[in-house]
Amino acid sequence: MYRYHCLNPISEVGLETFTEEYVPVSEPEKADAILVRSTNMKEMEFAKELKAIARAGAGVNNIPLEKCAEEGIVVFNTPGANANAVKELVLCGLFLSSRKIVESIRWIDGLKDDQDIAKTAEKGKSNFVGPEIEGKTLGVIGLGAIGVNVANAAIKLGMKVKGYDPYIGVNAAWALSKHAHHAASLEEIYQECDYITIHVPSTKETKGFMNKEAFAQMKTGVRILNFARGDLVNNEDLLANVASGKINKYISDFAAPELIGQENIIILPHLGASTPESEDNCAKMAVEEVCEYLENGNIINSVNFPGVNQARMSKTRLCIINKNVPNILANISKLFADHNLNIENMVNRSRGEYAYTLIDTNDEVRPDIIERIESANGIINVRAIID
């Protein structure tokens, strides 16, 4: 029997994916897995029993990843589950950046007492002229699930698309339209695109990467969309370039006090994944990741441990989380040999300072042997899954 706790309300569609082997608990300290959306977990203390945290969404800024890694807690997210929802909002932002729709709505709302409003509106519409997007060039920075969806949709709308991502994955590369041009550098995106949309995670390398140096290389009148993370853009530099006219429009899904009420800046209240379909998809994926890890030891879409997806072909599977240091596998293999245990299959993957090992055997692995493995230098924890 496995126990789970929800820190936030999680879609029932997702929770229904759990089998009867899973029971909800009211206290996170008693859970094998925690499901979370937006709750800040950085000050939480984790019980030894906790094995996994699944974020029903892509961003994991609310989870202490390093602390979890140190304690052998695998953190999952759900990349791509909300891709269509975000894509649709980015397309909305694309139109809002061009046609002065928000400004015209605000203006027409102020005319409600005008008895001749139709005539006034007709005269005033020339103040809200904006260009069409067809034939314009869109730069897509980051070609993950969302970036690829945006690029493909923009091509269907008649735009030229340049995509930049030095780390594009195989699946994304296959999904990207053949009509998208692969930009060789960010500079190419900056210099040649009429619209730029950002779809990269917030990391040490990307925080504030869109700053005065980047803006200086862009076309005058560029329109920028940020539906990824607010801190990717230096707001002080942004405001200066909007005021000067270098940036025609900035649309973002991330509120900041200094951006509110500014001309040519439209801020939305983080609506990217706010659709029932997206919440269902994220919850279902999060539950499936947790179940696969707890039942089979496989790690899919973890943000702090390497991915391992190995079919089970034996009676017992040992799931070993360890530091990425020399001789650990040799020591484990010797321990097995010393106890006449046969390793049917072994897979090891590393990610930075940490590694994950799966060992399959049809022999009985006694608790004292597991304790010996767990007490070895560099081992964080060992879990046995027995059919």
Side-chain angles (χ1 to χ4, degrees):
M1 191 70 70
Y2 300 105
R3 300 160 299 175
Y4 69 89
H5 175 79
C6 299
L7 284 179
N8 300 109
I10 301 294
S11 161
E12 286 298 324
V13 171
L15 296 181
E16 288 170 0
T17 307
F18 280 128
T19 66
E20 58 188 18
E21 293 183 56
Y22 292 80
V23 295
V25 292
S26 59
E27 300 174 9
E29 295 82 7
K30 297 180 179 179
D32 296 296
I34 290 176
L35 302 180
V36 62
R37 292 176 61 196
S38 58
T39 295
N40 189 339
M41 303 181 70
K42 291 188 175 180
E43 302 302 322
M44 286 184 64
E45 294 298 324
F46 301 122
K48 188 176 181 180
E49 289 74 16
L50 183 64
K51 302 170 183 65
I53 296 171
R55 161 78 164 95
V60 290
N61 293 346
N62 56 323
I63 303 172
L65 301 183
E66 183 62 26
K67 177 181 177 181
C68 289
E70 291 173 354
E71 298 184 22
I73 301 167
V74 181
V75 179
F76 299 93
N77 69 343
T78 57
N82 61 5
N84 186 70
V86 178
K87 175 206 75 177
E88 291 185 359
L89 195 63
V90 172
L91 294 179
C92 175
L94 193 61
F95 293 120
L96 294 180
S97 74
S98 275
R99 298 297 297 273
K100 296 187 178 181
I101 296 167
V102 171
E103 294 88 340
S104 66
I105 291 172
R106 289 171 179 164
W107 177 71
I108 207 75
D109 282 346
L111 300 177
K112 63 180 180 180
D113 295 326
D114 188 337
Q115 297 302 310
D116 201 8
I117 188 171
K119 186 175 182 180
T120 303
E122 188 66 26
K123 286 183 177 179
K125 69 180 183 181
S126 60
N127 294 315
F128 306 102
V129 173
E132 299 176 14
I133 64 171
E134 185 176 6
K136 306 301 190 303
T137 301
L138 172 67
V140 182
I141 301 175
L143 293 169
I146 296 171
V148 166
N149 279 5
V150 170
N152 292 347
I155 288 169
K156 291 178 181 179
L157 290 170
M159 299 190 80
K160 302 171 186 176
V161 171
K162 289 179 176 287
Y164 176 76
D165 191 335
Y167 309 108
I168 186 171
V170 173
N171 291 338
W174 277 106
L176 185 64
S177 169
K178 65 179 180 180
H179 299 293
H181 171 78
H182 290 263
S185 65
L186 280 174
E187 289 72 24
E188 182 178 344
I189 296 287
Y190 296 155
Q191 294 167 11
E192 299 183 17
C193 294
D194 307 297
Y195 300 77
I196 295 174
T197 182
I198 310 169
H199 300 287
V200 299
S202 175
T203 66
K204 293 178 183 178
E205 293 72 28
T206 60
K207 282 184 180 180
F209 86 98
M210 194 151 284
N211 52 28
K212 60 183 178 182
E213 288 79 14
F215 298 142
Q217 300 177 63
M218 297 179 188
K219 288 184 174 183
T220 298
V222 66
R223 292 166 165 86
I224 299 174
L225 313 177
N226 179 14
F227 289 81
R229 281 292 174 265
D231 62 6
L232 299 173
V233 177
N234 182 304
N235 287 343
E236 181 179 353
D237 295 346
L238 170 73
L239 289 168
N241 280 269
V242 170
S244 72
K246 179 74 175 185
I247 298 173
N248 182 285
K249 193 83 70 173
Y250 178 70
I251 316 289
S252 178
D253 206 19
F254 303 95
E258 63 271 23
L259 301 182
I260 305 304
Q262 298 289 340
E263 187 176 3
N264 293 323
I265 292 178
I266 297 173
I267 304 299
L268 305 177
H270 202 188
L271 296 178
S274 295
T275 68
E277 295 87 350
S278 174
E279 292 182 7
D280 290 347
N281 291 340
C282 288
K284 186 177 180 181
M285 183 182 289
V287 169
E288 289 171 348
E289 291 165 349
V290 164
C291 294
E292 184 61 30
Y293 178 61
L294 294 181
E295 296 173 30
N296 296 309
N298 288 320
I299 295 179
I300 302 170
N301 294 327
S302 172
V303 293
N304 65 341
F305 281 100
V308 176
N309 191 3
Q310 188 76 13
R312 287 186 63 190
M313 305 291 290
S314 60
K315 173 183 175 182
T316 300
R317 167 166 284 185
L318 293 189
C319 309
I320 304 171
I321 293 177
N322 56 276
K323 291 290 186 71
N324 187 18
V325 295
N327 298 322
I328 283 185
L329 293 182
N331 293 337
I332 293 173
S333 297
K334 184 178 184 304
L335 186 62
F336 265 64
D338 290 345
H339 289 83
N340 294 317
L341 300 176
N342 184 47
I343 296 177
E344 301 288 339
N345 188 39
M346 176 188 290
V347 59
N348 172 267
R349 298 285 185 273
S350 62
R351 179 174 182 169
E353 298 180 9
Y354 299 93
Y356 184 61
T357 303
L358 292 180
I359 297 177
D360 290 334
T361 179
N362 284 313
D363 297 322
E364 180 184 358
V365 185
R366 301 192 312 267
D368 62 297
I369 298 175
I370 294 175
E371 289 177 7
R372 287 188 62 185
I373 297 174
E374 197 162 30
S375 65
N377 183 46
I379 301 293
I380 297 174
N381 61 39
V382 180
R383 183 165 62 97
I385 303 175
I386 302 173
D387 284 339

